[in-house]
Amino acid sequence: MSRTAFLLSLASVSLLAACAPTITDTAGRLVNTVSGQEGRVVFLGGFQTRAAVPGTPDNVTVQLGQDFYSGQYSVIGNDGPVNLRFGLSGGFSSGDGFFRHGYDAGLRAPAIRNVARPGNLIVKTLKLDTAAVKTLICTFQADSSGHGVGDCRGSNGATYALQF
């Protein structure tokens, strides 16, 4: 490839990348199990499977009806170590006066796993002049691709289903 063609292809890729939208937040939904009221959960900066560290800023928001909640979520555990396997196989055969042999050796990657890991989400509303603070606590299972399901309970006793 000539240098001019390479520079033109690099410029076109850069132009396309500049036009692409930047997705930084991951959204999910919350549904009241009795009334069917739906809410929206937004993981700020995208869903990340990691444990929360004390003192870090809020990383999740919830909009449920007129209420706006803010807080943190955390995922514990890890995907486990990557185990590479080494395999060696060989064989001999003879037939029709020919002698054949073959060997196969190499590293084999393990099957792709999508392990679910436990997490929780704790959010609360801001205290307004006359309104009491409301809280929402959820437990969920999330996989390595950032999808998850769970259950939530509000400080008013309401129960919700969570999916993202």
Side-chain angles (χ1 to χ4, degrees), residues 87-93 100-105 108:
L88 176 65
S89 63
F92 293 95
S93 67
R100 290 179 263 204
H101 66 280
Y103 295 100
D104 177 26
R108 290 167 179 78

Side-chain angles (χ1 to χ4, degrees), residues 31 49 72 81 84 144:
V31 179
T49 56
Q72 292 189 343
L84 293 178
S144 59

